[in-house]
C-alpha cells in the first residue's frame, strides 16, 4: 500500500519537521512528546489578550512589553496602549512623547523607544507590513533573538524557537544536556535542538505551550511534576539541584528634587540622552552623596539644587520647605527622594516654555509622560 505509507510519512514529517542530523537521536519520541504537550495546551492554555486573534501588531506590542516584566503587570498597560494606538500606523506616526506617556509606569522606557522606532521602520521600509521571518525581524530596532523568534512563530507560525524565561526553565529540566542555559555557548545548541521539535504547522501553539507549562506547572522552586503532561520525557522529573539564590545588587541613591513654583505652576524638564528616565518629564533633581553636609552647609541638598538650577537652567531660586521623603525602587537603584519647595528669586527673567522646559500646573501633570518615581513627587503638590 504505497499511498498509505507515503501519507503516513507526510504526517510524520509535518509533526517532526526537518532536523539537523545530530539532534535526531530520540526521533521516535518526538511526535509523542508533541502530542502530549499540545493536548495539554488545548485545555490548559492561559487566556491572554494578545492571543485572542493572532493579530501580528498586537503580538509585537505584547512581546516588547513582556521583556523583563510579568504578564499580570503588562495586561492593563497593554490594553490602554492598544486603545491609544490601535494600529501599527497609528503608533508609527505618533510623537515619541505620546508613546512614552502611554508607557509611563511600566518602566524600562528603552523598550517604548525601540518599539516606536521599529514601527516607524516597518512603515518606512516594509510598507507597514510586519516582516514574517526571524532573520528579517532581527534587522529591526529593538529586536533580539527572543523577540524576533516570538513574533515570527506566534504571529506568522514560523517553526523557530521562542524561548522566554519559562520555556528555558522547562527545557533545561526536560533536556538538561541539550538545553543547559547556564552556559553561554549552549544557546545556539539549544536553538538547533529545539528547532527539530517544533511542529511546522503548530509552531505558535508549541512555543506557547512551553511558556505556559513553565508558568503553571514547571514553576521555579517546586515544579508540580504530578500534573506535568510530559513527565515521562523529563530527564530530571523534578529533581533539580538547589540553586544559590542570586542577590541582585541594588545601589542606594539619594536625590534632592526641586518643586520650583511660579504663578501656581511648577518647573518640569524633559531628560535628554539615553540613560535612566530619558525622554520623560521630571522635576529638576540632583544626586546627593550620602552623609553630605548639614542644613546651611554649601553641600546641603537645598544649596545643591539652587546651584544646579542656576548653572543648568539659568534660574535664581530660593529652595525652602522640605516635603516628605519618597522612595522608589528601580531595577538596580533604590532612590530616596528628598523633595523641596522653591520659588524664583532675584531679578533675572525666567525662561519661557521651550521644547524641554515647561511651567505646568498640577492639574496638567497627567498630560505629560512622567515616571512612576516622579509621580510620587507630583502627588505631593496635588496631582
Ligand atoms: S516533570 Fe517536573 S521538572 Fe520535568 S518538565 Fe515536568 S514539571 Fe518540569
Amino acid at each position: 500500500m504505497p499511498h498509505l505509507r507515503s501519507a503516513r510519512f507526510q504526517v510524520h514529517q509535518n509533526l517532526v519537521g526537518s532536523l539537523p542530523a545530530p539532534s535526531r537521536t530520540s526521533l521516535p519520541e518526538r511526535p509523542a512528546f508533541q502530542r502530549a504537550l499540545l493536548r495539554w495546551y488545548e485545555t490548559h492554555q492561559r487566556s491572554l489578550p494578545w492571543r485572542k486573534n493572532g493579530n501580528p501588531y498586537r503580538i509585537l506590542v505584547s512581546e516588547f512589553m513582556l521583556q523583563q516584566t510579568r504578564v499580570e503587570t503588562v495586561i492593563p498597560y497593554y490594553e490602554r496602549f492598544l486603545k491609544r494606538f490601535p494600529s501599527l500606523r497609528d503608533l508609527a506616526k505618533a510623537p515619541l512623547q505620546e508613546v512614552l506617556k502611554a508607557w509611563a509606569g511600566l518602566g524600562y522606557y528603552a523598550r517604548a523607544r525601540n518599539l516606536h522606532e521599529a514601527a516607524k521602520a516597518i512603515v518606512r521600509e516594509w510598507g507597514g507590513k510586519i516582516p514574517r521571518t526571524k532573520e528579517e525581524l532581527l534587522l529591526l530596532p529593538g529586536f533580539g533573538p527572543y523577540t524576533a523568534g516570538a513574533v515570527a512563530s506566534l504571529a506568522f507560525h514560523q517553526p523557530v524557537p521562542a524561548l522566554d524565561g519559562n520555556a528555558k526553565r522547562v527545557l533545561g529540566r526536560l533536556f538538561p544536556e541539550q538545553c543547559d542555559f547556564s552556559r553561554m555557548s549552549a544557546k545556539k545548541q539549544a536553538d538547533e535542538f529545539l528547532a527539530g521539535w517544533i511542529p511546522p504547522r503548530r509552531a505558535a501553539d508549541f512555543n506557547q505551550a512551553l511558556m505556559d507549562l513553565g508558568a503553571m506547572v514547571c514553576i521555579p522552586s517546586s515544579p508540580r511534576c504530578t500534573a506535568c503532561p510530559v513527565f515521562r520525557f523529563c530527564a530530571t522529573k523534578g529533581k533539580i539541584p538547589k540553586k544559590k539564590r542570586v542577590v541582585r545588587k541594588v545601589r542606594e541613591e539619594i536625590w534632592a528634587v526641586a518643586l520650583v513654583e511660579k504663578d501656581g505652576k511648577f518647573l518640569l524638564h524633559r531628560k535628554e540622552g539615553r540613560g535612566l528616565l530619558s525622554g520623560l518629564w521630571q522635576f529638576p533633581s540632583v544626586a546627593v552623596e550620602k552623609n553630605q553636609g548639614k542644613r546651611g552647609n554649601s553641600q546641603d541638598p537645598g544649596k545643591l539644587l539652587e546651584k544646579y538650577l542656576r548653572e543648568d537652567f539659568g534660574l535664581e531660586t530660593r529652595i525652602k520647605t522640605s516635603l516628605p521623603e519618597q522612595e522608589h525602587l528601580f531595577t538596580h537603584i533604590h532612590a530616596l527622594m528628598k523633595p523641596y519647595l522653591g520659588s524664583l528669586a532675584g531679578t533675572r527673567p525666567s525662561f519661557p516654555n521651550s521644547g524641554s522646559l515647561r511651567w505646568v500646573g498640577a492639574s496638567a501633570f497627567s498630560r505629560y509622560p512622567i515616571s512612576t518615581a516622579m509621580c510620587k513627587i507630583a502627588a505631593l503638590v496635588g496631582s
Side-chain angles (χ1 to χ4, degrees):
M1 296 182 13
H3 62 286
L4 190 55
R5 262 187 65 196
S6 81
R8 267 198 202 134
F9 179 73
Q10 190 55 49
V11 168
H12 181 77
Q13 283 299 92
N14 285 343
L15 274 170
V16 173
S18 57
L19 307 174
S23 57
R24 283 181 172 271
T25 46
S26 37
L27 189 60
E29 288 194 340
R30 259 177 234 185
F33 176 87
Q34 291 163 333
R35 275 196 300 274
L37 182 64
L38 291 171
R39 210 174 288 140
W40 173 85
Y41 177 71
E42 276 152 21
T43 50
H44 293 83
Q45 63 185 275
R46 289 176 293 175
S47 166
L48 299 173
W50 42 88
R51 289 185 182 172
K52 282 193 180 132
N53 60 11
N55 177 304
Y57 168 63
R58 290 170 163 257
I59 290 168
L60 176 72
V61 171
S62 73
E63 288 304 332
F64 271 78
M65 288 192 163
L66 288 165
Q67 291 166 10
Q68 295 161 298
T69 306
R70 296 165 61 83
V71 164
E72 310 78 60
T73 307
V74 162
I75 289 174
Y77 286 92
Y78 169 84
E79 283 172 345
R80 277 199 298 273
F81 195 90
L82 264 291
K83 269 199 190 115
R84 174 65 191 80
F85 308 110
S87 75
L88 185 112
R89 284 185 189 277
D90 293 321
L91 176 60
K93 68 178 185 227
L96 175 61
Q97 286 301 298
E98 286 292 309
V99 179
L100 291 171
K101 173 84 188 79
W103 199 277
L106 193 55
Y108 298 104
Y109 292 90
R111 297 178 299 174
R113 286 189 286 273
N114 284 334
L115 174 60
H116 188 227
E117 283 302 313
K120 290 197 288 185
I122 293 167
V123 168
R124 195 173 56 239
E125 291 157 29
W126 297 85
K129 286 211 175 334
I130 298 172
R132 301 173 69 88
T133 69
K134 183 174 176 179
E135 292 72 26
E136 291 166 337
L137 287 159
L138 277 169
L139 300 174
L140 293 169
F143 275 79
Y146 168 69
T147 308
V151 174
S153 66
L154 308 187
F156 300 112
H157 307 280
Q158 303 279 326
V160 289
L163 302 182
D164 72 349
N166 284 323
K168 280 184 181 166
R169 184 172 56 257
V170 173
L171 291 167
R173 290 171 179 175
L174 278 165
F175 312 115
E177 267 183 43
Q178 298 89 338
C179 301
D180 178 2
F181 293 102
S182 63
R183 288 186 293 117
M184 288 294 281
S185 59
K187 177 80 184 65
K188 192 164 173 285
Q189 181 195 346
D191 268 11
E192 280 171 11
F193 169 77
L194 187 64
W197 290 75
I198 301 174
R201 289 165 194 234
R202 298 202 57 188
D205 287 347
F206 185 86
N207 282 340
Q208 287 174 157
L210 284 177
M211 295 178 196
D212 287 9
L213 191 64
M216 295 190 279
V217 178
C218 195
I219 50 181
S221 50
S222 29
R224 298 167 50 226
C225 299
T226 50
C228 181
V230 289
F231 179 84
R232 72 187 169 100
F233 304 94
C234 183
T236 56
K237 298 193 192 306
K239 292 192 187 74
I240 44 178
K242 283 252 178 293
K243 263 198 195 162
K244 262 202 204 158
R245 213 174 136 71
V246 180
V247 182
R248 196 167 30 132
K249 277 199 179 157
V250 175
R251 196 168 71 237
E252 299 288 336
E253 289 195 1
I254 302 172
W255 300 350
V257 185
L259 285 149
V260 183
E261 195 246 336
K262 179 180 80 111
D263 303 331
K265 295 183 173 178
F266 294 89
L267 178 62
L268 281 180
H269 81 108
R270 192 176 59 215
K271 198 169 173 216
E272 307 294 349
R274 294 202 72 81
L276 183 71
L277 308 184
S278 62
L280 300 178
W281 290 82
Q282 59 178 40
F283 302 101
S285 56
V286 282
V288 180
E289 278 180 28
K290 265 191 200 160
N291 308 323
Q292 214 163 33
K294 296 199 172 14
R295 183 79 197 158
N297 183 302
S298 64
Q299 292 299 300
D300 85 56
K303 292 283 178 218
L304 281 174
L305 280 172
E306 286 173 3
K307 182 167 179 277
Y308 170 59
L309 288 160
R310 186 181 316 115
E311 290 177 356
D312 283 49
F313 298 86
L315 285 179
E316 287 298 336
T317 55
R318 190 74 65 241
I319 298 298
K320 294 174 282 191
T321 324
S322 63
L323 296 174
E325 293 177 354
Q326 305 293 314
E327 291 180 67
H328 191 75
L329 187 62
F330 298 92
T331 324
H332 300 296
I333 298 173
H334 173 228
L336 175 66
M337 298 179 286
K338 293 171 177 268
Y340 291 87
L341 275 177
S343 58
L344 293 176
T347 52
R348 291 180 70 168
S350 61
F351 53 78
N353 281 337
S354 73
S356 59
L357 292 164
R358 298 274 163 86
W359 293 102
V360 180
S363 61
F365 286 157
S366 60
R367 290 194 215 132
Y368 289 77
I370 297 176
S371 68
T372 308
M374 284 291 159
C375 281
K376 292 177 183 174
I377 303 293
L380 296 173
V381 287
S383 160

